[in-house]
Amino acid sequence: MKVLVTGVAGFIGFHVVMALFQRGDEVIGIDNLNDYYDVSLKKSRLNQLKKYSKKNKIKFNFYKIDIANHKSIDKIFKNHSPQRVIHLAAQAGVRYSIENPRVYAESNLLGFTNILEACRYNKIEHLVYASSSSVYGASTKIPFSENDPANHPLQFYAATKRANELMAHSYSHLFNLSTTGLRFFTVYGPWGRPDMALFTFTKNILEGKPIKLFNNGIHTRDFTYIDDVVDCIIKVIVKQPSPNREWEGITSDPSTSLSPFKIYNVGSHTQVKLIDYIEELELALGKKAIKEYMPLQLGDIPNTFASLDKLRSNFDITSRTPISVGVRKFVEWYHKYY
């Protein structure tokens, strides 16, 4: 395939492009290399991709642009004529959206609009885009299922991701654009983001600094290892969604419709307490953490847990990396990189 990937210097984007390279796919990569977190880490990921593609003689064109720039986006689509698009670029961070909502509106809403328009006018076969488990918001029904409404997000970040799903459906309906949204559940692993818990915990434990355990460390997360996430993305991108001919507006399933539109959870279907996650990290590091127990933060969801019934019924999804393995692999990478 010829695949356009946005956010190629990001955590998930880097791993996805590497997987596409290993398949022999041609990649057009986009990233603005913003300074939300350490730009040198993003550049290191990008250099790894350039080295791999050059060594293995795989076509890789990279463009440093912002997806909010519609003229640049349109030009790249027109010049390269990709078949499929994996859209991972976005302003990340749940709590940062409380402080800087306008940044999210520009990247996650305007930027996504530009991607949708480019897909529409360039006859893209399939658009796969990143959503988030945070769209479930105030829902207390566990496990989170795509069958359930996701109408009460607790942060602006989550609201923009839910908006992306609705925007995608409108393009699927109006222009027959095949779209699939993937709700990622707490992705972690090597080359991860420095603003995420595993990264900051590791850094602080090694430096002998305390780590903050919000909600007193008792909230649970469906921690999902990066390789399992990438496996899902690759399997999804090659299979275009088909309309659900049995869909009815009265008893509707929000994750599908009469249009070529789908939404899937991507998680491990495992609930892990944060305190247990820390114990695995302590084992991998061989060092105990200094813990500060804190109340639940504004905008935090106490528990996440993914139903994978829909994903597994449509794809051969069997891999599920246990946190003992995933955390150890992250620590090995962290030691090597730093």
Coordinates of all heavy atoms in Angstrom, one line a residue, residues 114-202:
N114 N -9.3 19.3 7.9 CA -8.4 19.3 6.7 C -8.1 17.9 6.2 O -8.0 17.7 5.0 CB -7.2 20.1 7.1 CG -7.4 21.6 7.3 OD1 -8.4 22.1 6.9 ND2 -6.5 22.2 8.1
I115 N -7.9 17.0 7.1 CA -7.7 15.6 6.7 C -8.9 15.0 6.0 O -8.8 14.3 5.0 CB -7.2 14.7 7.9 CG1 -5.9 15.2 8.5 CG2 -7.1 13.3 7.5 CD1 -4.7 15.1 7.6
L116 N -10.1 15.2 6.6 CA -11.3 14.7 6.0 C -11.5 15.3 4.6 O -11.9 14.6 3.7 CB -12.5 15.1 6.9 CG -12.7 14.3 8.2 CD1 -13.7 14.9 9.1 CD2 -13.0 12.8 7.9
E117 N -11.3 16.6 4.4 CA -11.5 17.2 3.1 C -10.5 16.6 2.1 O -10.8 16.4 1.0 CB -11.3 18.7 3.3 CG -12.5 19.4 3.8 CD -13.6 19.5 2.7 OE1 -13.6 20.5 1.9 OE2 -14.5 18.6 2.7
A118 N -9.2 16.5 2.6 CA -8.2 15.9 1.6 C -8.6 14.5 1.2 O -8.4 14.1 0.1 CB -6.8 15.9 2.3
C119 N -9.1 13.7 2.2 CA -9.5 12.3 1.9 C -10.7 12.3 0.9 O -10.8 11.5 0.0 CB -9.9 11.6 3.2 SG -8.5 11.2 4.3
R120 N -11.6 13.3 1.1 CA -12.8 13.4 0.3 C -12.4 13.7 -1.2 O -12.9 13.0 -2.1 CB -13.7 14.5 0.8 CG -14.8 14.9 -0.1 CD -15.4 16.2 0.3 NE -16.4 16.7 -0.6 CZ -17.0 17.9 -0.5 NH1 -16.7 18.7 0.6 NH2 -17.9 18.3 -1.4
Y121 N -11.6 14.6 -1.4 CA -11.3 15.1 -2.8 C -10.2 14.2 -3.4 O -10.0 14.4 -4.7 CB -10.8 16.6 -2.7 CG -12.0 17.5 -2.6 CD1 -12.2 18.1 -1.4 CD2 -12.9 17.7 -3.6 CE1 -13.3 19.0 -1.2 CE2 -14.0 18.5 -3.5 CZ -14.2 19.2 -2.2 OH -15.3 20.0 -2.1
N122 N -9.5 13.4 -2.7 CA -8.5 12.5 -3.3 C -8.9 11.1 -3.3 O -8.0 10.2 -3.5 CB -7.1 12.7 -2.6 CG -6.6 14.1 -2.8 OD1 -5.9 14.3 -3.8 ND2 -6.8 15.1 -1.9
K123 N -10.1 10.8 -3.1 CA -10.7 9.4 -3.2 C -9.9 8.4 -2.4 O -9.5 7.3 -2.9 CB -10.7 9.0 -4.7 CG -11.4 10.0 -5.6 CD -12.9 10.2 -5.2 CE -13.5 11.2 -6.2 NZ -14.9 11.5 -5.7
I124 N -9.6 8.7 -1.2 CA -8.9 7.8 -0.3 C -9.8 6.6 0.0 O -11.0 6.7 0.3 CB -8.6 8.5 1.1 CG1 -7.6 9.7 0.8 CG2 -7.9 7.6 2.0 CD1 -6.4 9.4 0.1
E125 N -9.2 5.4 -0.1 CA -9.9 4.2 0.1 C -10.4 4.0 1.6 O -11.4 3.4 1.8 CB -9.0 3.0 -0.3 CG -8.6 3.0 -1.8 CD -7.6 2.0 -2.1 OE1 -7.2 1.2 -1.2 OE2 -7.2 1.9 -3.3
H126 N -9.5 4.4 2.5 CA -9.9 4.1 3.9 C -9.1 5.1 4.8 O -7.9 5.2 4.7 CB -9.5 2.7 4.3 CG -10.0 2.2 5.6 ND1 -9.6 1.0 6.2 CD2 -10.9 2.8 6.5 CE1 -10.2 0.9 7.4 NE2 -10.9 1.9 7.6
L127 N -9.8 5.8 5.7 CA -9.2 6.6 6.7 C -9.4 6.0 8.1 O -10.5 5.7 8.5 CB -9.9 8.0 6.7 CG -9.6 8.9 7.9 CD1 -8.1 9.3 8.0 CD2 -10.5 10.1 7.9
V128 N -8.2 5.7 8.7 CA -8.2 5.2 10.1 C -7.7 6.3 11.0 O -6.6 6.9 10.7 CB -7.4 3.9 10.2 CG1 -7.2 3.5 11.7 CG2 -8.0 2.8 9.4
Y129 N -8.4 6.7 12.0 CA -8.0 7.8 12.9 C -8.0 7.4 14.3 O -8.7 6.5 14.8 CB -8.9 9.0 12.6 CG -10.3 8.8 12.9 CD1 -10.9 9.1 14.2 CD2 -11.2 8.2 12.0 CE1 -12.2 8.9 14.5 CE2 -12.5 8.0 12.3 CZ -13.0 8.3 13.5 OH -14.3 8.1 13.8
A130 N -7.2 8.2 15.1 CA -7.1 7.9 16.5 C -8.2 8.6 17.3 O -8.3 9.8 17.2 CB -5.7 8.4 17.0
S131 N -9.0 7.8 18.0 CA -9.9 8.4 19.0 C -9.3 8.0 20.4 O -8.1 7.8 20.5 CB -11.3 7.8 18.9 OG -12.2 8.5 19.7
S132 N -10.1 8.0 21.4 CA -9.6 7.8 22.8 C -10.6 7.2 23.7 O -11.8 7.4 23.6 CB -9.1 9.1 23.3 OG -8.8 9.0 24.7
S133 N -10.1 6.4 24.7 CA -11.0 5.8 25.7 C -11.6 7.0 26.5 O -12.7 6.7 27.2 CB -10.2 4.9 26.6 OG -9.2 5.6 27.3
S134 N -11.0 8.1 26.5 CA -11.5 9.3 27.3 C -12.9 9.7 26.9 O -13.6 10.4 27.6 CB -10.6 10.4 27.3 OG -10.4 10.9 26.0
V135 N -13.3 9.3 25.6 CA -14.7 9.7 25.2 C -15.8 9.2 26.1 O -16.9 9.7 26.1 CB -14.9 9.4 23.7 CG1 -13.9 10.0 22.8 CG2 -15.0 7.8 23.5
Y136 N -15.5 8.1 26.8 CA -16.5 7.5 27.6 C -16.8 8.3 28.8 O -17.9 8.2 29.4 CB -16.1 6.1 28.1 CG -16.1 5.1 26.9 CD1 -14.9 4.6 26.3 CD2 -17.3 4.6 26.4 CE1 -15.0 3.7 25.3 CE2 -17.4 3.7 25.4 CZ -16.2 3.2 24.8 OH -16.2 2.4 23.7
G137 N -15.9 9.2 29.2 CA -16.2 10.2 30.2 C -16.8 9.7 31.5 O -16.3 8.9 32.2
A138 N -18.1 10.3 31.7 CA -18.8 10.0 33.0 C -19.4 8.7 33.0 O -20.1 8.3 34.0 CB -19.8 11.1 33.2
S139 N -19.3 7.9 32.0 CA -20.0 6.6 32.0 C -19.4 5.7 33.1 O -18.2 5.6 33.3 CB -19.7 5.9 30.6 OG -20.3 4.5 30.7
T140 N -20.2 5.0 33.8 CA -19.8 4.1 34.9 C -20.1 2.6 34.5 O -19.8 1.7 35.4 CB -20.5 4.4 36.2 OG1 -21.9 4.4 36.0 CG2 -20.1 5.8 36.7
K141 N -20.6 2.4 33.3 CA -20.8 1.0 32.9 C -19.5 0.4 32.5 O -18.8 0.9 31.6 CB -21.8 1.0 31.7 CG -22.2 -0.4 31.3 CD -23.1 -0.4 30.1 CE -23.4 -1.8 29.6 NZ -24.3 -1.8 28.4
I142 N -19.1 -0.7 33.1 CA -17.9 -1.4 32.9 C -18.1 -2.8 32.4 O -19.0 -3.5 32.9 CB -17.0 -1.5 34.2 CG1 -16.6 0.0 34.6 CG2 -15.8 -2.3 34.0 CD1 -15.6 0.7 33.7
P143 N -17.4 -3.3 31.3 CA -16.4 -2.6 30.5 C -17.1 -1.6 29.6 O -18.2 -1.7 29.2 CB -15.7 -3.7 29.8 CG -16.8 -4.8 29.6 CD -17.6 -4.7 30.9
F144 N -16.2 -0.6 29.1 CA -16.7 0.3 28.2 C -17.0 -0.4 26.8 O -16.1 -1.1 26.3 CB -15.7 1.4 28.0 CG -15.5 2.3 29.2 CD1 -14.2 2.9 29.3 CD2 -16.5 2.5 30.1 CE1 -14.0 3.8 30.4 CE2 -16.3 3.4 31.2 CZ -15.0 4.0 31.4
S145 N -18.1 -0.2 26.3 CA -18.5 -0.8 25.0 C -18.9 0.2 24.0 O -19.5 1.2 24.3 CB -19.7 -1.8 25.3 OG -20.2 -2.2 24.0
E146 N -18.5 -0.1 22.8 CA -18.9 0.8 21.7 C -20.4 0.9 21.4 O -20.9 1.8 20.8 CB -18.2 0.3 20.3 CG -16.7 0.2 20.4 CD -16.3 -1.2 20.8 OE1 -17.0 -1.9 21.5 OE2 -15.2 -1.6 20.3
N147 N -21.1 -0.1 22.0 CA -22.6 -0.1 21.9 C -23.2 1.1 22.7 O -24.3 1.5 22.5 CB -23.2 -1.4 22.3 CG -22.9 -2.5 21.4 OD1 -22.7 -2.3 20.2 ND2 -22.8 -3.7 21.9
D148 N -22.5 1.5 23.7 CA -23.0 2.5 24.6 C -22.7 3.9 24.2 O -21.8 4.2 23.4 CB -22.4 2.3 26.0 CG -22.6 0.9 26.6 OD1 -23.7 0.4 26.3 OD2 -21.7 0.4 27.3
P149 N -23.6 4.9 24.5 CA -23.4 6.3 24.2 C -22.1 6.8 24.8 O -21.7 6.3 25.9 CB -24.6 7.0 24.7 CG -25.6 5.9 25.0 CD -24.9 4.7 25.3
A150 N -21.5 7.8 24.2 CA -20.3 8.4 24.7 C -20.5 9.9 24.6 O -19.9 10.7 23.9 CB -19.1 8.0 23.9
N151 N -21.5 10.4 25.4 CA -22.0 11.8 25.2 C -21.6 12.7 26.4 O -22.1 13.8 26.4 CB -23.5 11.8 25.0 CG -23.9 11.0 23.8 OD1 -23.2 11.1 22.8 ND2 -25.0 10.4 23.8
H152 N -20.8 12.2 27.3 CA -20.5 13.0 28.5 C -19.0 13.1 28.8 O -18.5 12.6 29.8 CB -21.3 12.6 29.7 CG -22.8 12.7 29.6 ND1 -23.5 11.6 29.1 CD2 -23.6 13.7 29.8 CE1 -24.8 12.0 29.0 NE2 -24.9 13.2 29.5
P153 N -18.2 13.6 27.8 CA -16.7 13.7 28.1 C -16.4 14.6 29.3 O -17.2 15.6 29.5 CB -16.2 14.3 26.8 CG -17.4 15.0 26.2 CD -18.6 14.2 26.6
L154 N -15.3 14.3 30.0 CA -15.0 15.1 31.2 C -13.9 16.1 30.9 O -13.6 16.8 31.8 CB -14.6 14.1 32.3 CG -15.7 13.1 32.7 CD1 -15.1 12.2 33.8 CD2 -16.9 13.8 33.2
Q155 N -13.3 16.1 29.8 CA -12.3 17.1 29.4 C -12.5 17.5 28.0 O -13.1 16.8 27.2 CB -10.8 16.6 29.6 CG -10.6 15.5 30.6 CD -10.8 14.1 30.0 OE1 -10.9 14.0 28.8 NE2 -10.9 13.1 30.9
F156 N -11.9 18.7 27.7 CA -12.0 19.2 26.3 C -11.3 18.3 25.3 O -11.8 18.1 24.2 CB -11.5 20.6 26.2 CG -11.8 21.3 24.9 CD1 -13.1 21.6 24.6 CD2 -10.8 21.7 24.0 CE1 -13.4 22.2 23.4 CE2 -11.1 22.3 22.8 CZ -12.4 22.5 22.5
Y157 N -10.2 17.7 25.7 CA -9.5 16.8 24.8 C -10.5 15.6 24.4 O -10.6 15.3 23.2 CB -8.3 16.2 25.6 CG -7.7 14.9 24.9 CD1 -6.9 15.1 23.8 CD2 -8.0 13.7 25.4 CE1 -6.4 13.9 23.1 CE2 -7.5 12.5 24.8 CZ -6.7 12.7 23.6 OH -6.2 11.6 23.0
A158 N -11.2 15.1 25.4 CA -12.1 14.0 25.1 C -13.2 14.5 24.2 O -13.7 13.8 23.3 CB -12.7 13.4 26.4
A159 N -13.7 15.7 24.4 CA -14.7 16.3 23.6 C -14.3 16.4 22.1 O -15.1 16.1 21.2 CB -15.1 17.6 24.1
T160 N -13.0 16.8 21.9 CA -12.5 16.9 20.5 C -12.4 15.5 19.9 O -12.7 15.4 18.7 CB -11.2 17.6 20.5 OG1 -10.2 16.8 21.1 CG2 -11.2 19.0 21.1
K161 N -12.1 14.5 20.6 CA -12.0 13.2 20.1 C -13.4 12.6 19.7 O -13.6 11.9 18.7 CB -11.3 12.2 21.0 CG -9.8 12.5 21.1 CD -9.1 12.3 19.8 CE -7.6 12.4 19.8 NZ -7.0 12.1 18.5
R162 N -14.3 12.9 20.6 CA -15.7 12.5 20.3 C -16.2 13.2 19.1 O -16.9 12.7 18.2 CB -16.6 12.7 21.5 CG -18.1 12.3 21.3 CD -18.2 10.8 21.1 NE -19.6 10.4 20.8 CZ -20.0 9.7 19.8 NH1 -19.2 9.2 18.9 NH2 -21.3 9.4 19.7
A163 N -15.9 14.5 19.0 CA -16.3 15.3 17.8 C -15.7 14.7 16.5 O -16.3 14.7 15.5 CB -15.8 16.7 18.0
N164 N -14.4 14.2 16.6 CA -13.8 13.6 15.4 C -14.6 12.4 14.9 O -14.8 12.2 13.7 CB -12.4 13.1 15.8 CG -11.4 14.2 15.9 OD1 -10.3 14.0 16.4 ND2 -11.7 15.4 15.6
E165 N -15.1 11.6 15.9 CA -16.0 10.5 15.5 C -17.2 10.9 14.7 O -17.6 10.3 13.7 CB -16.3 9.6 16.7 CG -15.1 9.0 17.4 CD -15.5 8.3 18.7 OE1 -16.6 8.4 19.1 OE2 -14.6 7.6 19.3
L166 N -17.9 12.0 15.2 CA -19.1 12.5 14.6 C -18.8 13.1 13.3 O -19.5 12.9 12.3 CB -19.7 13.5 15.5 CG -20.1 13.0 16.9 CD1 -20.7 14.1 17.8 CD2 -21.2 11.9 16.8
M167 N -17.7 13.8 13.2 CA -17.3 14.4 11.9 C -17.0 13.4 10.9 O -17.4 13.5 9.7 CB -16.0 15.3 12.1 CG -16.3 16.5 13.0 SD -14.7 17.2 13.7 CE -13.9 17.9 12.3
A168 N -16.3 12.3 11.3 CA -16.0 11.2 10.4 C -17.3 10.6 9.8 O -17.4 10.2 8.7 CB -15.1 10.2 11.1
H169 N -18.2 10.4 10.7 CA -19.5 9.7 10.3 C -20.2 10.6 9.2 O -20.7 10.1 8.2 CB -20.4 9.5 11.4 CG -21.7 8.8 11.0 ND1 -22.9 9.5 10.6 CD2 -22.0 7.5 10.7 CE1 -23.8 8.7 10.2 NE2 -23.3 7.5 10.2
S170 N -20.2 11.9 9.4 CA -20.8 12.8 8.4 C -20.2 12.6 7.0 O -20.9 12.6 6.0 CB -20.8 14.2 8.9 OG -19.5 14.8 8.8
Y171 N -18.8 12.5 7.0 CA -18.1 12.3 5.7 C -18.4 10.9 5.1 O -18.5 10.7 3.9 CB -16.6 12.6 5.9 CG -16.3 14.0 5.7 CD1 -16.7 15.0 6.6 CD2 -15.6 14.5 4.6 CE1 -16.4 16.3 6.5 CE2 -15.3 15.8 4.4 CZ -15.7 16.8 5.3 OH -15.4 18.1 5.2
S172 N -18.5 9.9 6.0 CA -18.9 8.6 5.5 C -20.2 8.6 4.9 O -20.5 8.0 3.9 CB -18.8 7.6 6.7 OG -17.5 7.4 7.2
H173 N -21.1 9.3 5.5 CA -22.5 9.4 5.0 C -22.6 10.2 3.7 O -23.2 9.8 2.8 CB -23.4 10.0 6.1 CG -24.8 10.2 5.6 ND1 -25.7 9.3 5.4 CD2 -25.4 11.4 5.3 CE1 -26.9 9.8 5.0 NE2 -26.7 11.1 4.9
L174 N -22.0 11.4 3.8 CA -22.2 12.3 2.6 C -21.4 11.9 1.4 O -21.9 12.1 0.3 CB -21.8 13.7 3.1 CG -22.7 14.4 4.1 CD1 -22.0 15.7 4.6 CD2 -24.1 14.7 3.5
F175 N -20.2 11.4 1.6 CA -19.2 11.2 0.5 C -18.8 9.8 0.3 O -17.8 9.5 -0.4 CB -18.0 12.1 0.7 CG -18.4 13.6 1.0 CD1 -18.1 14.1 2.2 CD2 -19.1 14.3 0.0 CE1 -18.5 15.5 2.5 CE2 -19.5 15.6 0.3 CZ -19.2 16.2 1.5
N176 N -19.4 8.9 1.1 CA -19.1 7.4 1.0 C -17.6 7.2 1.4 O -17.0 6.3 0.8 CB -19.4 6.9 -0.4 CG -19.6 5.4 -0.3 OD1 -20.1 4.8 0.6 ND2 -19.1 4.7 -1.4
L177 N -17.1 8.0 2.2 CA -15.7 7.8 2.7 C -15.6 6.8 3.8 O -16.3 6.9 4.8 CB -15.1 9.2 3.2 CG -13.7 9.1 3.9 CD1 -12.7 8.7 2.8 CD2 -13.4 10.5 4.5
S178 N -14.8 5.7 3.5 CA -14.7 4.7 4.6 C -13.8 5.2 5.7 O -12.6 5.6 5.5 CB -14.0 3.5 3.9 OG -14.8 2.9 3.0
T179 N -14.4 5.2 6.9 CA -13.6 5.7 8.1 C -13.8 4.7 9.2 O -14.8 4.1 9.5 CB -14.2 7.1 8.6 OG1 -15.5 6.9 9.1 CG2 -14.2 8.1 7.4
T180 N -12.7 4.6 10.0 CA -12.6 3.7 11.2 C -11.9 4.5 12.3 O -10.8 4.9 12.1 CB -11.9 2.4 10.9 OG1 -12.5 1.7 9.9 CG2 -11.9 1.5 12.2
G181 N -12.6 4.7 13.4 CA -12.1 5.3 14.6 C -11.6 4.3 15.6 O -12.4 3.3 15.8
L182 N -10.5 4.5 16.2 CA -9.9 3.6 17.1 C -9.8 4.3 18.5 O -9.0 5.2 18.6 CB -8.6 3.0 16.7 CG -8.6 2.3 15.3 CD1 -7.2 1.8 15.0 CD2 -9.5 1.1 15.4
R183 N -10.5 3.8 19.5 CA -10.5 4.3 20.8 C -9.3 3.6 21.6 O -9.5 2.5 22.1 CB -11.8 4.1 21.5 CG -12.9 5.0 20.9 CD -14.3 4.6 21.5 NE -15.3 5.5 21.0 CZ -16.6 5.4 21.2 NH1 -17.1 4.4 21.9 NH2 -17.5 6.2 20.6
F184 N -8.2 4.3 21.7 CA -7.0 3.7 22.4 C -7.2 3.8 23.9 O -7.6 4.9 24.4 CB -5.8 4.4 21.9 CG -5.5 4.3 20.5 CD1 -5.0 5.4 19.7 CD2 -5.6 3.1 19.8 CE1 -4.8 5.3 18.4 CE2 -5.3 3.0 18.5 CZ -4.9 4.1 17.7
F185 N -6.8 2.8 24.6 CA -6.8 2.7 26.0 C -5.4 2.7 26.6 O -4.7 1.7 26.4 CB -7.5 1.4 26.5 CG -9.0 1.5 26.5 CD1 -9.7 1.6 25.2 CD2 -9.8 1.6 27.6 CE1 -11.1 1.7 25.2 CE2 -11.2 1.7 27.6 CZ -11.8 1.7 26.3
T186 N -4.9 3.8 27.2 CA -3.7 4.0 27.9 C -2.5 3.2 27.3 O -2.1 2.1 27.8 CB -3.8 3.5 29.4 OG1 -5.0 4.1 29.9 CG2 -2.6 4.1 30.2
V187 N -2.1 3.7 26.1 CA -1.0 3.0 25.4 C 0.4 3.3 26.0 O 0.6 4.5 26.4 CB -1.0 3.5 23.9 CG1 0.0 2.6 23.1 CG2 -2.4 3.3 23.3
Y188 N 1.2 2.3 26.2 CA 2.5 2.5 26.8 C 3.6 1.6 26.1 O 3.2 0.7 25.4 CB 2.5 2.2 28.3 CG 2.4 0.7 28.6 CD1 3.6 0.0 29.0 CD2 1.2 0.0 28.5 CE1 3.5 -1.4 29.2 CE2 1.2 -1.4 28.7 CZ 2.3 -2.1 29.1 OH 2.2 -3.4 29.4
G189 N 4.8 1.9 26.3 CA 5.9 1.1 25.7 C 7.1 1.9 25.4 O 7.2 3.1 25.6
P190 N 8.1 1.2 24.8 CA 9.3 1.9 24.4 C 9.0 3.1 23.4 O 8.1 3.1 22.6 CB 10.1 0.8 23.6 CG 9.6 -0.4 24.2 CD 8.2 -0.2 24.5
W191 N 9.8 4.2 23.5 CA 9.7 5.4 22.8 C 8.4 6.2 23.1 O 7.9 7.0 22.4 CB 9.7 5.1 21.3 CG 11.0 4.6 20.7 CD1 11.3 3.3 20.5 CD2 12.2 5.3 20.4 NE1 12.6 3.2 20.0 CE2 13.1 4.4 19.9 CE3 12.5 6.7 20.3 CZ2 14.4 4.8 19.5 CZ3 13.7 7.1 19.9 CH2 14.7 6.2 19.5
G192 N 7.9 5.9 24.4 CA 6.7 6.5 24.8 C 6.8 8.0 25.1 O 7.9 8.6 25.0
R193 N 5.7 8.7 25.4 CA 5.7 10.1 25.6 C 6.1 10.5 27.0 O 5.7 9.8 28.0 CB 4.2 10.7 25.4 CG 3.8 10.7 24.0 CD 2.5 11.5 23.8 NE 1.8 11.9 24.9 CZ 0.5 11.7 25.2 NH1 -0.2 10.9 24.4 NH2 -0.1 12.2 26.2
P194 N 7.0 11.5 27.2 CA 7.5 11.8 28.5 C 6.4 12.4 29.4 O 6.7 12.4 30.6 CB 8.5 12.9 28.2 CG 8.9 12.7 26.8 CD 7.7 12.2 26.1
D195 N 5.3 12.8 28.9 CA 4.2 13.4 29.8 C 3.3 12.3 30.3 O 2.5 12.6 31.1 CB 3.4 14.4 29.0 CG 2.7 13.8 27.8 OD1 3.3 13.0 27.1 OD2 1.4 14.1 27.7
M196 N 3.5 11.0 29.9 CA 2.7 10.0 30.4 C 3.3 9.3 31.7 O 4.5 9.4 32.0 CB 2.5 8.9 29.3 CG 1.7 9.5 28.1 SD 1.1 8.3 27.0 CE -0.3 7.7 27.9
A197 N 2.4 8.7 32.4 CA 2.7 8.2 33.8 C 3.9 7.3 33.9 O 4.8 7.5 34.7 CB 1.5 7.5 34.4
L198 N 4.0 6.3 33.0 CA 5.1 5.3 33.1 C 6.5 6.1 32.9 O 7.4 5.7 33.6 CB 5.0 4.3 32.0 CG 6.0 3.2 32.0 CD1 6.1 2.4 33.3 CD2 5.8 2.2 30.8
F199 N 6.5 7.0 32.0 CA 7.7 7.8 31.7 C 8.1 8.6 32.9 O 9.3 8.5 33.4 CB 7.5 8.7 30.5 CG 8.7 8.9 29.7 CD1 8.9 8.4 28.4 CD2 9.7 9.8 30.2 CE1 10.0 8.7 27.7 CE2 10.9 10.0 29.5 CZ 11.0 9.5 28.2
T200 N 7.2 9.4 33.5 CA 7.5 10.2 34.6 C 7.8 9.4 35.9 O 8.7 9.8 36.7 CB 6.4 11.2 34.9 OG1 5.2 10.5 35.1 CG2 6.2 12.2 33.7
F201 N 7.1 8.3 36.1 CA 7.4 7.4 37.2 C 8.8 6.9 37.1 O 9.5 6.9 38.1 CB 6.4 6.3 37.3 CG 5.0 6.7 37.7 CD1 3.9 5.8 37.4 CD2 4.7 7.9 38.2 CE1 2.6 6.2 37.8 CE2 3.4 8.3 38.6 CZ 2.4 7.4 38.4
T202 N 9.2 6.4 36.0 CA 10.5 5.8 35.8 C 11.6 6.8 36.1 O 12.5 6.6 36.8 CB 10.7 5.3 34.4 OG1 9.7 4.2 34.1 CG2 12.0 4.7 34.1

